[in-house]
Structures are given as structure tokens and as C-alpha cells.
Amino acid sequence: KRLVIQKKINMLFHKEVARENNIRNKAFDRFEKKYFTKLSQIYYGYENLKKGALNYAAVISGSDQVLSPGGLATHFYDLTFVPESIIKASYASSFGVKKIPSYQIKRTQYYINRMNYFSVREIAGQKIVKELTNKDVPVVCDPTFLFNADQWGEWIEKKSIVEGPYIFAYFLGPSQEHRDEATKFAKEHNIKIVTTHHMDQYVKADVNFGDIVLSDVGPEEFVNLIRGATYVITDSFHGTIFSVIHEKKFVVFNRYGKKAKISKNSRIESICSLLGLNDRRYNGDLCSQLDKEIDYKKVRENTNKMREISFNYLNEVAKSIRGQNND
């Protein structure tokens, strides 16, 4: 709620943020109308969710940071609105933190234990579940990672958005240092920076950053910008994921500082560790990191292991749902 209010204030005082946000929203609307065509009816409000749950054999929550401590009070994602008789599953859910606040432990234990199937998308989340419930749960792929590059190509048409070699700099955080490092690398390599500005709020460091600034960027454009990039520099989890899928030379910065009260770096820490890509996390020498080749053969092997675990989990849930329907 605080972030929503902050964003509205930013748009009020920074017209460029409002303008770019409106353009970006239209791009997302185009994507939604094109791809989100076979969905169930929408249930608004908690009471309608409770009634709507009765229409299904199973309810699955995921992925992203749906189990963030900050959203626990809503109960929309912990599936406490789903009756005991209906299968409840979590897929690639993220707590977004390394530790659950002490005052939320009992409520967190309660909703985890209610679920018939539980999976997370990061090692930190796996540890949280073990500590709170003594359950061993799998770390599975973020849904975007279930597709390889060819499969993404079948779904989203390949289009060239920017001609010639470029760095795609996709930053969500406000760090001036990160942008300065990107600019330094671009000048040394005589390559242009393509970027987006003010993604979540007004960011002072975005002003005058980049050679080509794009606002009309929805999911399709985002994927194609990574596809066409020579390098990717990001502090985003999904910026990292799609860089790996399309086997790009990339470096990922920590979006949050070590002393940040609310840090969501654990998702990036986890995926880099699981895939053997810890050397792609910014270490202070961007030039040598970006120029270094990545052993994508080994990364593909690690990725396929994660996908296998993920599909096995989903098949187990599906088998249970089929059994429920047969009953």
C-alpha cells in the first residue's frame, strides 16, 4: 500500500514518470488482450474468492513474491480461503526474504501446513519452510524458466527493436553506481546503451542515463530486447532469467544493499547458485565480468535438472487433481 501511494505521489510531481508509466501500461494492455484469452471469471474480494474456490478441484498459488510477509494480511495468496476438501498447492512461490518476522511465524506455519503441495523458487524459501514446519520442499523453476529459447520463440515472435550492437541495461533499483558502471563499460567498448526509465518510481539516476530510452515496453518487447542484446546488465530477477534462457553475456547487480531492512536479493542469489553462475554477480569489475565467456553447456545441464524437478512436481499435483476428479 505504501508503495502504491508513493508511486502516485511520484507521478504527481514528476510528469515524465506518469507519461512513461501510461505508455508502458498500454503495452501491457496489448499483451493481455493478445494472450490472456482463456481465463476463468475474475473473483473480486475475499468473500467472492471463498465462494469461487468451490468451483474447482484444486487451487494453485504462485509464483513471484506472493508469500512476502508484507502481503500476509490479505490472505489472497496463502490459500486460507480454500476449503480443506479442495487441493491446495504452491508453485515456485517466493517469500522474498531470508527470514520470517517473529510475529508472523505461527500464521506462516499455519498456511504452509494447510497446503497439500508446496514448492518454492529459491533456496532461502526452502530453508524457511524446513525451519518452520520441518518439511522438505522442492526448489522449482520460475514459470518463465520452464520454456527454453526455442519455445519462447514459438510463443513470442522474434522482432528486432533496436538495430546494431547494444547493451540492454534493465534496472529497477535507484543505484547511481550501477548506471555509472554501465556507462563506463559502454564508452570503453564503443557500444550504445538501451534502457527504460523510472520503472517503479521516479529514479534520479535514470535522468540522462542511456543512449536509447524506450517507454513502449511490455512483455513482448522486453523479451525481444534481451534477445537482440549483445550484453545485458540488470538488477532484476527476470532480467537475469531471460538473459540465461537466451544465453547472453550478462552481469547482475544486487538491487538492495546489505543493510536494507527489506531485501529481495535472495532470488538472484539462489538462481545464480543453482545454475553455477555466481561469477555473473557484480564483483566490482564489470568490464572483465561482461567480457568473460559463460559455459552455457554446463548452465543448460543445471537448468534441465531444475526443469525436471519442476515438471515432476507439477505432474504429481496434476495426478492428484485427476484422482480428485475421478472420485
Side-chain angles (χ1 to χ4, degrees):
K1 191 174 182 180
R2 178 180 60 83
L3 291 176
V4 173
I5 294 173
Q6 186 178 12
K7 190 169 184 177
K8 288 182 178 179
I9 292 173
N10 280 325
M11 289 185 189
L12 184 63
F13 287 97
H14 300 282
K15 299 301 181 184
E16 68 274 29
V17 177
R19 181 187 66 81
E20 292 180 16
N21 186 73
N22 288 336
I23 294 172
R24 193 176 298 121
N25 285 343
K26 289 178 181 178
F28 273 80
D29 288 342
R30 289 198 308 268
F31 183 86
E32 183 178 337
K33 289 176 182 177
K34 184 175 180 179
Y35 292 104
F36 295 176
T37 57
K38 296 180 180 179
L39 302 179
S40 72
Q41 73 177 87
I42 299 174
Y43 300 97
Y44 294 100
Y46 190 79
E47 290 303 315
N48 285 327
L49 270 177
K50 287 176 65 176
K51 295 175 183 176
L54 299 173
N55 297 324
Y56 301 92
V59 178
I60 301 176
S61 175
S63 61
D64 215 340
Q65 299 165 50
V66 294
L67 302 179
S68 170
L72 182 59
T74 67
H75 296 298
F76 287 129
Y77 303 111
D78 61 17
L79 304 190
T80 53
F81 64 87
V82 183
E84 291 289 344
S85 59
I86 294 173
I87 294 171
K88 294 166 285 295
S90 155
Y91 181 76
S93 298
S94 171
F95 296 97
V97 295
K98 290 185 177 181
K99 191 174 182 64
I100 300 296
S102 58
Y103 62 90
Q104 290 185 338
I105 287 178
K106 287 187 177 180
R107 284 188 292 169
T108 304
Q109 289 171 326
Y110 171 72
Y111 76 71
I112 292 175
N113 284 323
R114 281 189 85 242
M115 291 196 191
N116 306 94
Y117 298 92
F118 202 93
S119 66
V120 294
R121 71 174 184 185
E122 60 216 349
I123 296 170
Q126 187 182 49
K127 290 179 179 177
I128 287 173
V129 175
K130 182 67 174 179
E131 289 172 1
L132 296 187
T133 68
N134 202 34
K135 291 182 178 181
D136 295 308
V137 299
V139 176
V140 296
C141 295
D142 182 84
T144 57
F145 217 26
L146 292 173
F147 288 178
N148 60 33
D150 290 336
Q151 290 167 325
W152 274 106
E154 292 171 6
W155 191 41
I156 292 181
E157 181 184 356
K158 295 180 181 179
K159 293 181 179 178
S160 176
I161 296 178
V162 177
E163 296 298 327
Y166 64 89
I167 300 168
F168 181 42
Y170 182 67
F171 292 125
L172 301 179
S175 172
Q176 182 67 56
E177 177 195 352
H178 299 172
R179 290 161 177 80
D180 288 345
E181 284 293 303
T183 301
K184 178 183 175 183
F185 179 88
K187 287 180 178 178
E188 290 182 1
H189 288 70
N190 193 28
I191 188 171
K192 60 196 171 192
I193 293 176
V194 177
T195 190
T196 55
H197 282 179
H198 314 302
M199 293 301 296
D200 286 334
Q201 58 185 327
Y202 172 77
V203 175
K204 184 179 179 181
D206 272 340
V207 178
N208 299 323
F209 172 65
D211 301 294
I212 299 175
V213 179
L214 302 175
S215 300
D216 192 14
V217 177
E220 281 188 309
E221 292 78 15
F222 174 76
V223 171
N224 277 313
L225 282 168
I226 289 180
R227 277 177 180 154
T230 307
Y231 304 97
V232 178
I233 305 173
T234 188
D235 61 4
S236 153
F237 176 74
H238 285 105
T240 303
I241 290 289
F242 280 99
S243 296
V244 174
I245 289 172
H246 293 95
E247 301 192 355
K248 295 295 172 180
K249 285 186 175 181
F250 76 96
V251 164
V252 56
F253 290 83
N254 280 339
R255 182 179 172 190
Y256 300 88
K258 292 181 179 179
K259 295 182 179 180
K261 291 183 178 180
I262 300 177
S263 173
K264 298 171 184 176
N265 293 331
S266 61
R267 297 177 300 161
I268 290 173
E269 291 172 6
S270 182
I271 196 66
C272 287
S273 176
L274 289 167
L275 299 182
L277 288 167
N278 283 325
D279 63 339
R280 308 319 292 181
R281 299 183 65 197
Y282 177 62
N283 64 10
D285 187 357
L286 183 64
C287 290
S288 63
Q289 280 186 283
L290 269 180
D291 283 329
K292 183 181 177 182
E293 293 294 332
I294 299 174
D295 184 358
Y296 269 114
K297 181 181 178 181
K298 184 63 177 177
V299 173
R300 283 195 297 274
E301 291 175 0
N302 293 333
T303 300
N304 288 333
K305 288 177 185 177
M306 281 195 70
R307 286 180 178 141
E308 183 179 2
I309 292 170
S310 304
F311 284 120
N312 286 341
Y313 174 82
L314 289 170
N315 286 331
E316 187 179 352
V317 175
K319 183 178 179 181
S320 177
I321 295 171
R322 286 194 294 270
Q324 185 97 333
N325 285 332
N326 290 336
D327 291 343

